[in-house]
Amino acid sequence: AYLLLYRRKGDALPGPRDFPSYIQKMVDEENEKFAKAKEEYVQRRDNLPLDVYFKETILRLHIDKNKTLKDAVVQCFALAGLTGSQYSLDCIRLRKYNPETGTLGRVWKSDEECTRKTLDQLGIIKTSILKLEIKEPHETFPEDSGEYKLQIIKAVDGKFEDPVHVVVPTRETTVGDFRKVLETALGWPLDSIRIVKVSPDATSKILTEEDDTKELQKDIGLVDGNSLHVEQFKNKDDPSTIVSLFEEASNLIQVFFNKLDERDSNVELLISKKKNLAHLREQIAIQLNCSPTEFQICRSVLGNQVKDETLSLELVGIY
């Protein structure tokens, strides 16, 4: 509801109105509820429920994303039960952690990163996993090696093998440097290795010699735990088996059709949408154990028969 108040220019504003005390109390209570609900919402929105690996245990850290890394270290110090021990805050540090590969993220060292930037600004989000490292008071932390791991999937004889982890020496490693790593890890000649990056949408990019000066992380966009596919080739112009396999997989569709004496389309067939209708007819005939000339192909029970069988399934709207 809205209340409009009209007054002549120059007239004084009316004074505050007197409300019964019970109405004022009710308004104050509602405002207090609203303020509390808003505060709880902001806390839930900004809360980071983080898993922190410490020795053989996993600590559960709840912290506001607008807090700093130093704040997180202080909380972890208490969560780990180190209060009152021989250890000080200087004996621990937090790093991002990938439990699947065992890889640690880079060390945050500067005062800017530790006490000024928020956790949100450091890229620590709700799905982040951290590791709490600890050292003896008289020791120093080991230097950050910058190593990380990539999953390498080999394509051999037209099929993919199980992935293996290969260590990338530094965060600045280039594509060319990584070819040498693969030469050692896989035992393949350097000039026979083809590297293919496959995106989540199954599109693929072959990393050629022109990419050899690019850094895997900064330029190619790879991070710890990501995958690369590799294969051997004899001639550079040979088509890529990896690209072909992913193109084939991305073009596969499910086609459902009925048996000749039934109306329900409960028979399933996997087929490439690039194939033509004639090929589809042959595959259906095999499934039904009949001649390809014994049936018609229609989009529905009452639909028109598709007659030009040289067209691909994609072109006639079957995809």
Side-chain angles (χ1 to χ4, degrees):
Y2 296 90
L3 173 64
L4 297 178
L5 175 66
Y6 295 91
R7 66 183 180 89
R8 286 182 302 183
K9 189 175 181 180
D11 286 353
L13 289 170
R17 296 181 62 184
D18 291 329
F19 294 97
S21 59
Y22 75 91
I23 292 181
Q24 187 64 51
K25 181 181 179 183
M26 183 173 64
V27 171
D28 291 342
E29 287 175 352
E30 288 299 318
N31 286 339
E32 187 178 342
K33 287 180 184 178
F34 174 77
K36 185 177 180 181
K38 183 179 179 181
E39 183 182 356
E40 290 174 352
Y41 164 74
V42 171
Q43 288 176 350
R44 289 195 304 270
R45 181 195 66 188
D46 294 346
N47 177 60
L48 294 176
L50 301 172
D51 284 340
V52 180
Y53 281 69
F54 176 64
K55 296 184 177 179
E56 303 300 321
T57 62
I58 301 176
L59 309 174
R60 189 65 165 175
L61 171 66
H62 289 274
I63 189 168
D64 191 295
K65 69 178 182 180
N66 299 304
K67 295 289 187 179
T68 65
L69 186 66
K70 185 176 181 180
D71 295 326
V73 169
V74 171
Q75 281 191 229
C76 286
F77 187 83
L79 282 174
L82 300 176
T83 305
S85 67
Q86 73 269 30
Y87 299 103
S88 66
L89 287 173
D90 293 332
C91 295
I92 62 172
R93 67 182 181 185
L94 284 171
R95 298 172 69 177
K96 281 189 176 180
Y97 180 58
N98 185 342
E100 293 185 5
T101 62
T103 302
L104 289 164
R106 71 181 186 84
V107 176
W108 292 297
K109 291 182 178 179
S110 68
D111 185 61
E112 171 75 14
E113 291 176 324
C114 295
T115 63
R116 296 177 191 168
K117 285 190 174 182
T118 65
L119 298 175
D120 188 48
Q121 291 171 330
L122 290 176
I124 298 176
I125 59 177
K126 292 188 177 183
T127 55
S128 297
I129 298 175
L130 302 177
K131 181 159 187 168
L132 184 66
E133 291 186 304
I134 187 168
K135 68 175 183 66
E136 294 299 322
H138 63 276
E139 295 177 341
T140 58
F141 282 113
E143 288 297 319
D144 179 11
S145 67
E147 287 185 356
Y148 63 100
K149 295 177 183 177
L150 295 177
Q151 283 194 104
I152 301 302
I153 303 170
K154 294 192 293 182
V156 180
D157 297 329
K159 61 182 180 180
F160 295 125
E161 296 188 352
D162 292 335
V164 294
H165 284 113
V166 174
V167 175
V168 185
T170 70
R171 298 185 185 93
E172 293 75 33
T173 297
T174 64
V175 174
D177 294 334
F178 191 58
R179 288 188 202 276
K180 297 174 184 176
V181 173
L182 291 176
E183 179 185 27
T184 302
L186 305 179
W188 291 355
L190 183 65
D191 56 0
S192 72
I193 299 173
R194 177 182 286 142
I195 305 174
V196 182
K197 180 188 177 186
V198 181
S199 301
D201 61 356
T203 57
S204 53
K205 171 180 168 51
I206 297 175
L207 302 181
T208 64
E209 292 178 353
E210 296 177 357
D211 299 304
D212 277 358
T213 58
K214 295 180 180 178
E215 293 181 14
L216 292 173
Q217 282 203 353
K218 185 177 73 174
D219 303 315
I220 307 300
L222 296 170
V223 296
D224 181 68
N226 283 174
S227 299
L228 283 176
H229 291 72
V230 297
E231 64 186 353
Q232 283 187 286
F233 63 86
K234 293 181 179 179
N235 300 307
K236 291 182 180 180
D237 296 331
D238 290 344
S240 169
T241 300
I242 296 170
V243 173
S244 299
L245 288 172
F246 273 98
E247 283 182 351
E248 181 181 340
S250 65
N251 287 325
L252 278 181
I253 59 172
Q254 290 175 302
V255 175
F256 293 91
F257 56 92
N258 61 292
K259 294 181 180 179
L260 295 181
D261 55 349
E262 298 178 5
R263 292 176 65 88
D264 293 336
S265 300
N266 52 16
V267 183
E268 177 187 350
L269 174 66
L270 285 176
I271 189 171
S272 172
K273 62 185 177 182
K274 300 296 183 182
K275 298 293 185 180
N276 59 26
L277 282 163
H279 182 77
L280 175 62
R281 178 181 290 279
E282 292 172 1
Q283 296 303 307
I284 291 176
I286 293 172
Q287 291 276 352
L288 298 179
N289 193 25
C290 67
S291 169
T293 60
E294 288 185 39
F295 56 87
Q296 297 178 348
I297 298 178
C298 305
R299 289 297 304 273
S300 63
V301 175
L302 300 177
N304 294 327
Q305 180 183 359
V306 182
K307 294 183 179 180
D308 188 353
E309 298 195 355
T310 62
L311 297 175
S312 69
L313 302 183
E314 190 175 33
L315 285 177
V316 297
I318 302 176
Y319 51 82

